[in-house]
Amino acid sequence: MSVSLEVKERAVRPRSLRNQLRHTGQVPAVVYGYEIESTPISVDQKELTKILRDNGANAVITMTIGGKKINTLLFKAQLDTFTSQMKHVEFLAVNMKETTEVEAEIVLVGESEGVKAGGELTQNLYNVLVSATPDKLPERVEVDITKLAIGDAITVADLPKDKDYDIITDGEEQILAITEAKAATEESSEEAAEPTVIGEKPE
């Protein structure tokens, strides 16, 4: 599935043109990659933001440049430090029949039995690298943690296989672990470290 985005080719000189575009709600951008030379364009920020909100960062975005339809992926977005507004965007033109690699967000689903029993969940990995044709790229990879008990952990290798994409990230990388609560662990350590006085009767 792809979504359409209206774009306009733009001049790159003078540099002040970029600021003029931003003042009118446009974002300076560039598209390059499969069967297209690097081409400066501008896009409407509100329209692009809505596309990303509704379809995710890995959506295939179709644009028309020079009368030719180009399928692209959002490659990089530079944001203003203070306003979080887009300052510049890069689009990568892709071949819909060839695989490409992108990052997909790891989303935890459910509440683990271990957490319900007083354990703590520690997540170490928040994204995985996936490979697929552009139309099959996932926006996120869900991980069901419902049955995890204290002491359990999940690595990338434990993620379910999917016919639409392959996970490229090293399978040994740990995504999360359920551990005993720190307070309980520290209390146990203090009790174990307390010295025993010879001749003193245990309470």
Side-chain angles (χ1 to χ4, degrees):
M1 178 182 175
S2 64
V3 290
S4 297
L5 174 66
E6 183 178 349
V7 305
K8 297 178 181 178
E9 293 189 54
R10 64 178 174 88
V12 295
R13 293 288 187 274
R15 292 180 64 87
S16 60
L17 286 175
R18 294 189 180 186
N19 288 330
Q20 291 177 22
L21 284 171
R22 295 184 185 111
H23 286 316
T24 60
Q26 298 290 304
V27 182
V30 63
V31 56
Y32 53 84
Y34 179 68
E35 293 189 341
I36 185 173
E37 295 183 358
S38 181
T39 303
I41 58 174
S42 64
V43 302
D44 183 86
Q45 175 159 294
K46 288 184 178 180
E47 185 180 357
L48 177 57
T49 300
K50 184 177 187 304
I51 285 175
L52 298 177
R53 183 179 63 244
D54 295 346
N55 302 276
N58 292 336
V60 176
I61 299 174
T62 301
M63 55 186 68
T64 301
I65 300 176
K68 180 180 178 181
K69 286 192 175 182
I70 307 294
N71 294 308
T72 72
L73 295 172
L74 177 67
F75 182 69
K76 186 185 298 183
Q78 181 184 356
L79 304 179
D80 185 278
T81 305
F82 301 102
T83 66
S84 295
Q85 297 295 303
M86 295 182 186
K87 294 183 65 177
H88 189 266
V89 179
E90 294 181 27
F91 293 95
L92 179 65
V94 293
N95 182 348
M96 297 297 287
K97 295 181 180 179
E98 292 184 357
T99 59
T100 188
E101 296 179 2
V102 300
E103 285 194 337
E105 181 186 6
I106 295 172
V107 177
L108 308 185
V109 179
E111 183 179 6
S112 80
E113 295 176 357
V115 170
K116 290 180 179 179
E120 292 186 352
L121 185 153
T122 301
Q123 186 172 354
N124 305 306
L125 193 65
Y126 293 85
N127 297 279
V128 287
L129 190 65
V130 298
S131 174
T133 54
D135 59 320
K136 299 293 186 181
L137 290 170
E139 173 63 21
R140 62 188 205 171
V141 175
E142 294 187 349
V143 180
D144 186 355
I145 63 172
T146 308
K147 296 183 179 180
L148 295 184
I150 295 176
D152 288 342
I154 290 182
T155 65
V156 172
D158 296 322
L159 294 175
K161 305 298 181 185
D162 194 290
K163 62 181 179 61
D164 288 336
Y165 60 85
D166 294 319
I167 296 177
I168 307 300
T169 303
D170 188 342
E172 294 184 1
E173 286 203 43
Q174 188 182 83
I175 296 174
L176 62 92
I178 308 296
T179 59
E180 292 185 12
K182 291 181 180 178
T185 304
E186 290 172 359
E187 185 177 330
S188 298
S189 299
E190 290 175 0
E191 290 178 356
E194 187 176 336
T196 301
V197 179
I198 298 175
E200 182 181 15
K201 292 183 180 181
E203 296 181 358

